[in-house]
C-alpha cells in the first residue's frame, strides 16, 4: 500500500559535477509536477518529466528540486575585452599630464575599474548533465517509494484496525436485534396494562409483534454488511489494484448502516449506527486522502513486515 506523502533525496557525482535532486510528494487528485531548476539547467525539465511519466508516480502533487555544482576547470569562461582596454589606455594617455602626480594603476585595478574582465559560466555538457540527473532522479524516486511504502503500511494497519472496530459494532447489533421484538411485546403489554384495557386478545398482540418484527428485521442488512467487510479486508490484504473497489465497498457499507438505522426501532442499535457511521467516515478519509487511488498498489498484508533500506 502506497501513501500519497513522501520525500526522497539523492546526490549524484561524476567528473567534477555534483547534482542533488529532491522529490516531495503530497496528496492531489491528479498528477501535478512542479520543477525548481537552476537557469542553466532548464533543459532538464523535459528529461525529468519523461522519467516521471515512465515511473509509478500516477497521482499527487510532486515538487522536483535540483541543485547543481560544477567544479571542473572548464566550468567557467574568462574573457578580456581588449577593445575596452585599448580605449581606456588611450584615455589615460590623454589624461597623463593631469595625473602625473598619481601613481599608475595596476593591471588588476584597471580590469576592475573598466569591467573588461568577464567571467561567465561555460555551456554545460547536456548529455553528461542529463545522465547525472537521471541517476539522481532514480535514487530519489527509490527513497520516495520506500517512504511511501512505509507510510502506506501504517495506513493499512489503521484501515484494518478501524475495520475490526466496525466488525465489533456489527456483532453488537446482531446480538441485540433478536431482542427487539420481545422488548416491543413487553412495552406493548405494559402500555395495555397502563390503559387498564383488561385482558387483551393474545392473538392480536402476537400479530402486532409479528408485524413489528417483520418491519424491523435487519438480518439481510447485517449479512450484506458482513460480506462487504470481508471483501474490504481481503482487498487491503491483497496485492491487486483495488482502490476503487474499496471505495465502492465503503459506500455499500454506509448504505447498509443507514438501512439498519431506519428499520431497527431501538435506542441502543441507533447508538451503534452512529458509532458505525463515524468509523466508516474514518475509513473513507484514510482511503481517499492517504492512499493512491491508481488502485492502491503494493497493498500491505496483515503482518505488515516492512523492511528498512539495507535490511533486505
Amino acid at each position: 500500500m502506497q501513501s500519497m506523502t513522501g520525500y526522497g533525496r539523492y546526490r549524484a557525482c561524476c567528473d567534477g559535477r555534483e547534482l542533488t535532486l529532491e522529490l516531495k510528494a503530497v496528496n492531489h487528485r491528479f498528477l501535478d509536477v512542479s520543477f525548481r531548476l537552476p537557469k542553466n539547467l532548464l533543459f532538464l525539465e523535459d528529461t525529468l518529466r519523461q522519467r516521471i511519466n515512465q515511473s509509478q508516480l500516477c497521482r499527487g502533487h510532486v515538487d522536483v528540486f535540483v541543485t547543481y555544482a560544477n567544479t571542473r576547470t572548464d566550468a567557467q569562461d574568462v574573457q578580456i575585452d581588449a577593445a575596452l582596454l585599448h580605449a581606456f589606455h588611450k584615455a589615460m594617455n590623454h589624461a597623463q599630464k593631469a595625473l602625473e602626480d598619481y601613481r599608475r594603476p595596476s593591471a588588476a585595478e584597471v580590469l576592475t575599474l573598466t569591467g573588461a574582465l568577464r567571467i561567465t559560466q561555460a555551456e554545460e555538457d547536456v548529455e553528461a548533465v542529463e545522465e547525472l540527473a537521471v541517476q539522481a532522479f532514480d535514487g530519489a524516486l527509490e527513497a520516495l517509494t520506500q517512504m511511501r511504502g512505509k507510510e502506506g503500511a501504517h495506513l493499512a494497519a489503521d484501515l484494518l484496525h478501524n475495520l475490526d472496530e466496525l466488525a465489533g459494532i456489527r456483532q453488537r447489533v446482531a446480538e441485540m436485534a433478536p431482542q427487539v421484538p420481545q422488548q416491543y411485546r413487553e412495552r406493548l403489554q405494559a402500555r395495555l396494562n397502563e390503559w387498564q384495557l383488561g385482558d387483551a386478545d393474545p392473538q392480536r398482540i402476537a400479530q402486532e409483534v409479528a408485524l413489528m418484527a417483520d418491519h424491523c428485521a435487519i438480518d439481510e442488512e447485517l449479512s450484506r454488511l458482513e460480506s462487504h467487510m470481508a471483501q474490504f479486508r481481503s482487498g487491503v490484504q491483497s496485492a491487486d489494484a483495488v482502490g476503487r473497489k474499496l471505495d465502492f465497498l465503503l459506500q455499500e457499507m454506509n448504505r447498509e448502516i443507514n438501512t439498519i438505522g431506519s428499520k431497527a426501532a431501538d435506542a441502543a442499535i441507533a447508538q451503534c449506527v452512529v458509532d458505525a457511521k463515524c468509523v466508516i467516515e474514518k475509513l473513507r478519509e484514510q482511503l481517499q486522502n492517504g492512499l493512491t487511488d491508481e488502485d492502491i498498489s503494493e497493498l500491505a498484508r496483515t503482518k505488515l513486515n516492512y523492511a528498512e533500506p539495507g535490511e533486505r
Side-chain angles (χ1 to χ4, degrees):
M1 182 170 285
Q2 290 281 331
S3 169
M4 288 300 298
T5 303
Y7 173 81
R9 182 178 184 272
Y10 192 88
R11 183 178 64 179
C13 304
C14 182
D15 195 20
R17 296 183 176 90
E18 179 181 307
L19 189 146
T20 302
L21 190 144
E22 298 173 271
L23 293 175
K24 178 183 176 183
V26 295
N27 187 37
H28 195 273
R29 186 176 181 182
F30 306 105
L31 179 61
D32 179 35
V33 184
S34 176
F35 291 92
R36 302 290 187 273
L37 305 173
K39 287 186 178 181
N40 60 330
L41 299 185
L42 292 178
F43 62 86
L44 288 178
E45 181 172 340
D46 290 338
T47 301
L48 293 175
R49 193 177 293 277
Q50 292 177 8
R51 202 70 177 176
I52 290 174
N53 292 336
Q54 296 170 1
S55 70
Q56 70 269 34
L57 295 176
C58 301
R59 177 175 164 245
H61 177 78
V62 181
D63 287 315
V64 182
F65 301 93
V66 174
T67 55
Y68 178 73
N70 190 336
T71 58
R72 292 165 53 88
T73 56
D74 59 354
Q76 294 178 328
D77 185 21
V78 181
Q79 297 178 347
I80 295 179
D81 191 337
L84 181 59
L85 284 178
H86 179 72
F88 181 79
H89 179 68
K90 186 177 180 180
M92 287 292 293
N93 288 337
H94 286 302
Q96 186 175 5
K97 292 182 180 181
L99 297 174
E100 60 183 359
D101 294 336
Y102 297 91
R103 67 175 178 85
R104 296 180 65 85
S106 65
E109 291 172 336
V110 171
L111 291 174
T112 303
L113 179 63
T114 61
L117 179 65
R118 294 198 299 270
I119 301 177
T120 58
Q121 292 294 124
E123 291 189 9
E124 291 291 348
D125 185 338
V126 174
E127 184 176 349
V129 176
E130 284 183 343
E131 182 178 350
L132 204 63
V134 169
Q135 179 184 350
F137 174 82
D138 291 345
L141 180 62
E142 181 179 359
L144 173 70
T145 303
Q146 290 176 352
M147 181 175 179
R148 291 176 67 171
K150 187 174 181 179
E151 292 294 326
H154 289 298
L155 288 170
D158 287 341
L159 283 172
L160 295 176
H161 173 75
N162 286 325
L163 192 65
D164 289 340
E165 184 178 353
L166 183 62
I169 296 173
R170 181 214 164 272
Q171 182 62 30
R172 293 202 302 271
V173 173
E175 293 173 355
M176 289 186 290
Q179 303 172 11
V180 173
Q182 180 61 31
Q183 293 173 355
Y184 178 74
R185 176 191 289 272
E186 293 173 357
R187 290 197 302 270
L188 179 61
Q189 188 65 55
R191 186 169 300 176
L192 292 175
N193 294 336
E194 180 183 353
W195 291 343
Q196 299 178 354
L197 295 179
D199 295 333
D201 184 0
Q203 185 176 359
R204 178 59 178 168
I205 294 177
Q207 183 179 4
E208 288 292 333
V209 173
L211 290 174
M212 187 271 177
D214 182 66
H215 173 75
C216 68
I218 55 175
D219 294 343
E220 293 183 6
E221 288 76 9
L222 289 173
S223 178
R224 286 194 294 267
L225 180 59
E226 184 178 18
S227 174
H228 296 332
M229 289 190 298
Q231 293 182 64
F232 192 93
R233 184 183 300 276
S234 177
V236 173
Q237 294 175 341
S238 75
D240 299 327
V242 291
R244 291 179 177 83
K245 178 181 178 180
L246 295 183
D247 186 65
F248 170 76
L249 287 172
L250 283 179
Q251 296 180 28
E252 292 304 305
M253 290 183 204
N254 192 63
R255 189 193 308 275
E256 301 302 336
I257 290 296
N258 286 334
T259 304
I260 291 173
S262 62
K263 293 178 66 174
D266 183 80
I269 293 180
Q271 182 59 50
C272 288
V273 167
V274 173
D275 295 340
K277 290 175 72 68
C278 291
V279 175
I280 289 177
E281 187 60 29
K282 290 180 184 178
L283 289 168
R284 189 189 307 279
E285 290 178 358
Q286 289 171 329
L287 189 65
Q288 293 182 349
N289 296 334
L291 309 177
T292 58
D293 83 347
E294 63 268 12
D295 297 2
I296 311 186
S297 59
E298 297 185 17
L299 290 170
R301 305 308 195 271
T302 305
K303 293 188 178 180
L304 301 175
N305 53 349
Y306 177 81
E308 292 288 346
E311 295 179 356
R312 300 172 183 175

